Amino acid sequence: MQPDPRDYEIRIWYSAEKGDECFIAQVVEWPGIMAHGATREEAARQIQLALEGALEVAAEEGIKPPAPALAPRLVSSSLVTTR
């Protein structure tokens, strides 16, 4: 099963470096996936597209992508009663 792109943690910051002056977005669990935009919203849209593309390629190539840190995890629990 392919991970859901919405479960990955994304960091977005502003780069004021001369020549950049844009928002940069990066997938925390997959640092090589980065995108940028003139606004925070544009950078967020672009990183989602880049991540979706990377997940598609990984699936086509049979490569296991990094597990998303924010993915829901199945937790096993049991009820213990005491008297």
Side-chain angles (χ1 to χ4, degrees):
M1 184 170 99
Q2 188 171 337
D4 188 328
R6 296 171 297 179
D7 290 334
Y8 284 89
E9 183 178 349
I10 305 295
R11 290 208 178 123
I12 300 175
W13 67 94
Y14 185 76
S15 174
E17 189 172 320
K18 187 172 178 137
D20 277 353
E21 293 107 5
C22 66
F23 287 89
I24 299 172
Q26 181 177 36
V27 179
V28 173
E29 300 89 342
W30 213 343
I33 301 177
M34 298 179 78
H36 68 278
T39 64
R40 182 177 298 276
E41 292 76 16
E42 184 182 352
R45 281 192 301 274
Q46 293 301 319
I47 196 66
Q48 283 300 315
L49 292 173
L51 179 54
E52 288 169 8
L55 288 169
E56 248 179 61
V57 170
E60 290 169 5
E61 300 292 324
I63 299 167
K64 184 179 177 185
L70 303 176
R73 290 182 172 74
L74 181 61
V75 177
S76 175
S77 64
S78 58
L79 179 61
V80 178
T81 57
T82 57
R83 293 182 193 235

